[in-house]
Amino acid sequence: MSHDDELSLFLQEVADVRPIRSDNTLSLAGTSAPTEAQLARRQAATAEQLTLDHLSMEAVEMLDPHAIVGFKRDGVQEGVYKKLRLGKYELQASLDLHQKTLNEARQSLVQFIADCEVRDIRCLLILHGKGERSTPRAVLKSHVSTWLPQLPAVMAMHSAERRHGGSGALYVLLRKSERQKAENRERHQKRLG
């Protein structure tokens, strides 16, 4: 049978077929409930935008390039803060903000913190530089030092030890995830019981 014969046979078979006309169509595309991962991503994106909108770009107190910076939320134990200050926690991730504009640095910082939270990373090193050659001096350092305490995930921060960048870098401690809190409770229960 030739191609033309097959085509004419097919057209004969479908000659009386008519499109279905109905207002009761059901579109299955996009109707399934979002997965937990999709909801988490949406929530993170919304939180990131809210956070970005709230991180001040103005009215930031300008710091000296060599100033030592520190911040600790209520509830952070002194021993934990001291260990952070002395660089005794393992640094699990770092972010280098050198050569970035303020807007780029702000976006990078918020995204980095959000990514670390999702991955249960708690101890970070943020390299912002001293800003000795910037005009005005220490612009990025001043802004980063102001932004970090505004982020709910940040429990504490302190200027780094010289080996990690000194006053041109910050150690940052993030809050524990719910999973990490549950593991701690379980570990303490075993120790006590």
Side-chain angles (χ1 to χ4, degrees), residues 114-168:
D115 290 347
C116 288
E117 269 195 296
V118 168
R119 292 180 173 89
D120 286 341
I121 293 172
R122 292 202 60 216
C123 194
L124 324 171
L125 180 67
I126 310 282
L127 301 155
H128 49 66
K130 294 178 184 171
E132 292 176 303
R133 293 184 296 260
S134 67
T135 308
R137 291 170 42 144
V139 172
L140 194 53
K141 173 181 181 157
S142 300
H143 279 80
V144 170
S145 299
T146 300
W147 293 334
L148 283 169
Q150 294 176 24
L151 298 171
V154 175
M155 298 307 292
M157 68 174 196
H158 198 277
S159 293
E161 290 282 297
R162 176 178 235 151
R163 69 185 188 272
H164 292 129
S167 62

Side-chain angles (χ1 to χ4, degrees), residues 96-116:
D96 190 345
L97 297 173
H98 286 94
Q99 308 300 316
K100 292 197 182 293
T101 66
L102 280 179
N103 274 331
E104 291 169 343
R106 185 170 73 149
Q107 259 183 312
S108 295
L109 183 66
V110 168
Q111 185 61 55
F112 179 67
I113 299 291
D115 290 347
C116 288

Side-chain angles (χ1 to χ4, degrees), residues 1 19 23 29 31-32 54 76 80 90 131 141 171:
M1 199 188 286
D23 291 336
T31 58
S32 64
H54 288 92
V76 174
V80 169
E90 175 191 349
K141 173 181 181 157
Y171 296 133

